[in-house]
Amino acid sequence: MRLALGVSYAGQAYDGWQSQPSGNTVQDRLEAALRQFTQQRIGTVCAGRTDAGVHGLMQVVHFDTDLDRKEHAWVRGPNSFLPGDIAVHWARPVPADFHARASAIGRRYAYVLLESPVRPSVERGRVGWVFRPLDPAAMQAAAQQLLGEHDFSSFRAAECQARTPVKTMRRIEIARRGAYWRFEFEADAFLHHMIRNLMGCLLVIGKGDRPVDWMAEVLAARDRRAAAPTFAPDGLYFLGPVYAPHWGLPDRTAAYDWLP
């Protein structure tokens, strides 16, 4: 039987999603909990890897098992062995041809940013931070230049393993609530560090250090050296993959509604 799980996690304490020799990744902790629950070694495949310090509001994983347990048992069982900053929210049986990564037709991220003269305190590690005022109209105009299919090489980390830098940006929304900004991105797929590199450029423009049209110049350069430095991971959240309706999977977890 193939199962899919919806998982949320706070990323501050972990070296990213993907398993590493340190054992200090979200995947390592999830697979250890599944092993304790099932007394079997279970390998998981995720919808989208996240870097160290990046959070997941609905990571989706799949795995195969010959155990027959009810859906709620696959939620409560692993959760009893997981640390408090990782939780399984739902479990669903899926067809054998479902693949958490390959079946996704899109992915969604949000970046939460505090604009304040004072650095974050209680929300430390959960939000990015700028102390200079931002121009929403300038950032909105710059974001429009990123929509559609483009070569995003200027926003790609050197260690990115994607086969092509060409991606389709479907949606960018920028909203403010009090001192907090929320930047939401949806694309068919993203490159390594792509969101954090886009954020670096949007904030340079928002602070008035570069004109709006500079974003188009960076995009056209297809050269990472043309863009702003990579922004902090703290406020970055993987909102989850987008699947076709016929898979019958939830499109969010309860953690999704926590964001400003």
Side-chain angles (χ1 to χ4, degrees):
M1 180 172 64
R2 179 158 290 188
L3 281 171
L5 304 180
V7 183
S8 68
Y9 51 89
Q12 300 105 302
Y14 302 105
D15 300 328
W17 165 266
Q18 189 174 10
S19 182
Q20 296 183 24
S22 68
N24 187 39
T25 71
V26 181
Q27 183 178 21
D28 289 322
R29 298 301 175 90
L30 177 62
E31 291 182 358
L34 288 168
R35 184 164 60 250
Q36 288 178 280
F37 173 58
T38 64
Q39 295 301 300
Q40 296 180 357
R41 185 173 295 276
I42 291 179
T44 60
V45 176
C46 75
R49 299 171 185 171
T50 52
D51 293 332
V54 177
H55 317 290
L57 298 191
M58 196 181 79
Q59 179 68 267
V60 176
V61 304
H62 82 256
F63 60 89
D64 296 324
T65 179
D66 57 3
L67 296 176
D68 185 11
R69 306 268 177 95
K70 294 187 180 297
E71 291 178 14
H72 68 80
W74 286 106
V75 175
R76 296 175 184 173
N79 280 345
S80 66
F81 297 106
L82 282 167
D85 50 7
I86 305 173
V88 177
H89 287 257
W90 52 259
R92 299 286 190 278
V94 289
D97 59 342
F98 173 81
H99 191 282
R101 183 173 60 256
S103 296
I105 56 176
R107 289 165 181 81
R108 302 164 295 165
Y109 282 86
Y111 198 101
V112 179
L113 182 77
L114 171 66
E115 180 193 311
S116 170
V118 180
R119 59 171 172 75
S121 56
V122 294
E123 71 275 64
R124 180 175 177 268
R126 305 291 179 92
V127 298
W129 175 51
V130 293
F131 58 87
R132 289 171 56 188
L134 298 173
D135 181 344
M139 293 190 296
Q140 293 278 9
Q144 290 299 305
Q145 300 175 29
L146 300 168
L147 297 178
E149 184 180 84
H150 300 286
D151 182 328
F152 284 95
S153 292
S154 293
F155 307 97
R156 181 182 193 176
E159 61 270 28
C160 181
Q161 298 177 358
R163 282 180 279 184
T164 174
V166 177
K167 305 298 175 187
T168 300
M169 185 72 74
R170 298 171 181 163
R171 179 174 59 90
I172 302 178
E173 295 181 3
I174 304 173
R176 182 170 185 171
R177 182 180 175 185
Y180 297 92
W181 293 86
R182 176 169 171 160
F183 299 74
E184 194 161 322
F185 304 83
E186 182 175 333
D188 57 345
F190 290 90
L191 303 168
H192 191 194
H193 284 177
M194 181 171 162
I195 299 293
R196 292 169 59 191
N197 293 333
L198 288 171
M199 283 298 303
C201 291
L202 286 169
L203 296 181
V204 165
I205 292 169
K207 290 182 288 188
D209 294 334
R210 294 280 190 170
V212 169
D213 290 344
W214 179 68
M215 185 67 84
E217 295 176 14
V218 173
L219 187 63
R222 300 181 183 180
D223 186 337
R224 179 69 190 94
R225 294 170 295 181
T230 305
F231 202 60
D234 304 34
L236 183 57
Y237 294 79
F238 182 44
L239 299 181
V242 179
Y243 295 114
H246 72 268
W247 296 116
L249 296 178
D251 67 351
R252 62 178 59 198
T253 66
Y256 190 101
D257 298 320
W258 174 84
L259 288 186

